[in-house]
Amino acid sequence: MTDLVLRSRRVVFPDGERPATVHARGGRITEITAYGDEGTDVPALLPGLVDTHVHVNEPGRTEWEGFATATRAAAAGGVTTIIDMPLNSIPATVSEEALSVKRTAAEAARPSVDVGFWGGAVPGNAPDLPALHYAGVFGFKCFLIDSGVPEFPPLDVAGLDRALSTVDALFVVHAEDPTMVVDASPSPHFSDFVASRPMRAETRAVATAIDAARRHGARVHILHLSAAEALPLIAAAQESGLRVTAETCPHYLTLDAADVPDGATEYKCCPPIRDAANREALWKGLSSGTISCVVSDHSPCTPDLKVGDFATAWGGIASVQLGLPVVWTAARERAFPLAEVVRWLATAPADLVGLRNKGRIAVGADADLVAFDPDEPFEVDPARLHHRHPVTPYAGARLVGTVRSTWVRGVPAASGTGRLITREVAA
């Protein structure tokens, strides 16, 4: 039984921050007392972050990323729980058998943080969804547009209806309408790529997903929202009582399409980064609660797949290690408190997937904790990133906020401290 006692004048609780001492034993938070009690001082104490949108790619494309490197990067960024997407691994996690393969690979990698799994909804696998859900996946990912990999094809409207009517589960949707997206012409200019995937493609697909949620009374979560013009649709759905939620990502909240240099394909992701006015509208969506979560959509690949132009390069940004300082740097410039950032990156993602013992500092919760210095500046050095290939659009960025230490169930995060987790009954 390991005792851990940490204290800070800035302990971030679900209702705000205050001085306190946090006691943990046996992997759980056992007591919260006054700051004056004896313990190890840290600048700020946060709950471990929960990143529900991570592409680990192992097995099958482990050369892109693997559980050992992805979870080491997560721990370095204060993330203590990740939920792995059902692609781009081979096999994709679209059956119980594939889930077993994925779990075996993850366990063998001795992850540094806790790892859970999404299942996938693809054409023809609706009969597999109940068993996959029962086996413990946190819900089902689907695409309404080509995913970029042949083993994970998209659903049309009929396929989405079939999936939603098969199992009462959380469905997380990549929402872009393929009829409104055009093949990008080879070009070094980011603006040409953005024009090929316009905001109206997202807005129409969000409407499609909301309509399906209405027909089936289903839980539908819009992934990596980049188009602020879809926010009124999501807000109206929420106000009408539909079980519709949404997330966005650090890159959509901080980057500006106008600033992307020619040929800088490390900025390419789908849907794309958009302009500054759209970025600020996303912040308003967060402030209003229409968007509940900020997650990484960590989607790495080998460096050779990022070579070329914006039409041919792989679309994905690897940032699981940098989400906290990236978002905190931008949030404090907009006068958001640290507690709000923690809600977006920890509590709300945990609640989304039903992990009531994660993402919060409370008696009985897992002692997943982060010592964070919210005032310490640093410059992003790709050589200090732990994901497999340190390609990043944040290279050289000056950020504020450094992770000093990360604990998983009261133990310093290291190879083997993570566990495989499943959907809780309370979800």
Side-chain angles (χ1 to χ4, degrees), residues 2-346:
T2 301
D3 287 316
L4 178 68
V5 183
L6 302 171
R7 67 178 195 168
S8 176
R9 297 189 183 278
R10 301 186 67 179
V11 180
V12 180
F13 296 99
D15 60 349
E17 61 176 73
R18 62 182 182 271
T21 302
V22 176
H23 305 252
R25 183 171 175 80
R28 297 271 183 164
I29 296 172
T30 56
E31 191 177 11
I32 297 169
T33 60
Y35 171 76
D37 290 351
E38 192 170 323
T40 301
D41 261 306
V42 299
L45 186 63
L46 319 183
L49 308 186
V50 177
D51 194 336
T52 55
H53 197 146
V54 177
H55 294 267
V56 176
N57 309 329
E58 185 177 7
R61 292 191 176 94
T62 310
E63 70 275 13
W64 291 19
E65 182 67 283
F67 285 102
T69 48
T71 60
R72 188 160 60 245
V79 177
T80 54
T81 303
I82 66 168
I83 311 295
D84 174 58
M85 282 292 169
L87 74 164
N88 302 300
S89 58
I90 301 173
T93 315
V94 296
S95 67
E96 252 190 301
E97 294 76 15
L99 176 62
S100 178
V101 171
K102 179 69 75 87
R103 283 177 168 160
T104 298
E107 194 165 33
R110 304 188 75 247
S112 299
V113 305
D114 287 357
V115 178
F117 304 94
W118 294 106
V122 296
N125 86 323
D128 296 303
L129 300 185
L132 193 50
H133 196 234
Y134 184 77
V137 297
F138 285 84
F140 297 96
K141 165 82 172 279
C142 65
F143 278 75
L144 302 184
I145 193 171
D146 180 69
S147 72
V149 292
E151 65 274 2
F152 204 95
L155 295 178
D156 58 16
V157 173
L160 181 60
D161 280 333
R162 194 172 300 113
L164 294 180
S165 64
T166 298
V167 60
D168 183 14
L170 174 60
F171 282 81
V172 298
V173 181
H174 181 124
E176 288 182 282
D177 189 312
T179 68
M180 308 194 77
V181 170
V182 298
D183 291 335
S185 299
S187 171
H189 306 307
F190 189 62
S191 58
D192 293 334
F193 172 65
V194 176
S196 74
R197 302 183 87 105
M199 280 197 279
R200 63 181 181 273
E202 271 191 89
T203 303
R204 180 176 288 187
V206 167
T208 296
I210 290 172
D211 287 345
R214 182 178 293 109
R215 285 193 297 275
H216 299 281
R219 288 185 69 200
V220 169
H221 179 73
I222 305 301
L223 295 170
H224 46 48
L225 184 72
S226 83
E229 71 175 31
L231 287 170
L233 292 176
I234 297 168
Q238 293 168 345
E239 289 165 8
S240 71
L242 295 182
R243 297 189 294 168
V244 173
T245 51
E247 68 185 35
T248 193
C249 302
H251 36 280
Y252 301 130
L253 291 170
T254 61
L255 302 178
D256 178 354
D259 295 334
V260 176
D262 285 353
T265 55
E266 61 270 25
Y267 289 82
K268 181 182 176 181
C269 56
C270 299
I273 295 158
R274 303 193 189 276
D275 62 29
N278 180 83
R279 178 189 66 201
E280 297 311 310
L282 290 175
W283 280 101
K284 291 180 181 178
L286 267 175
S287 181
S288 70
T290 304
I291 300 170
S292 57
C293 306
V294 180
V295 292
S296 69
D297 190 8
H298 178 77
S299 186
C301 64
T302 52
D304 60 294
L305 295 179
K306 277 292 191 182
V307 173
D309 57 46
F310 285 106
T312 58
W314 176 258
I317 289 176
S319 63
V320 70
Q321 185 173 335
L322 294 173
L324 175 58
V326 166
V327 175
W328 169 236
T329 300
R332 62 188 265 159
E333 290 172 355
R334 293 164 176 81
F336 287 103
L338 183 58
E340 281 286 89
V341 172
V342 168
R343 181 169 62 83
W344 299 330
L345 275 72

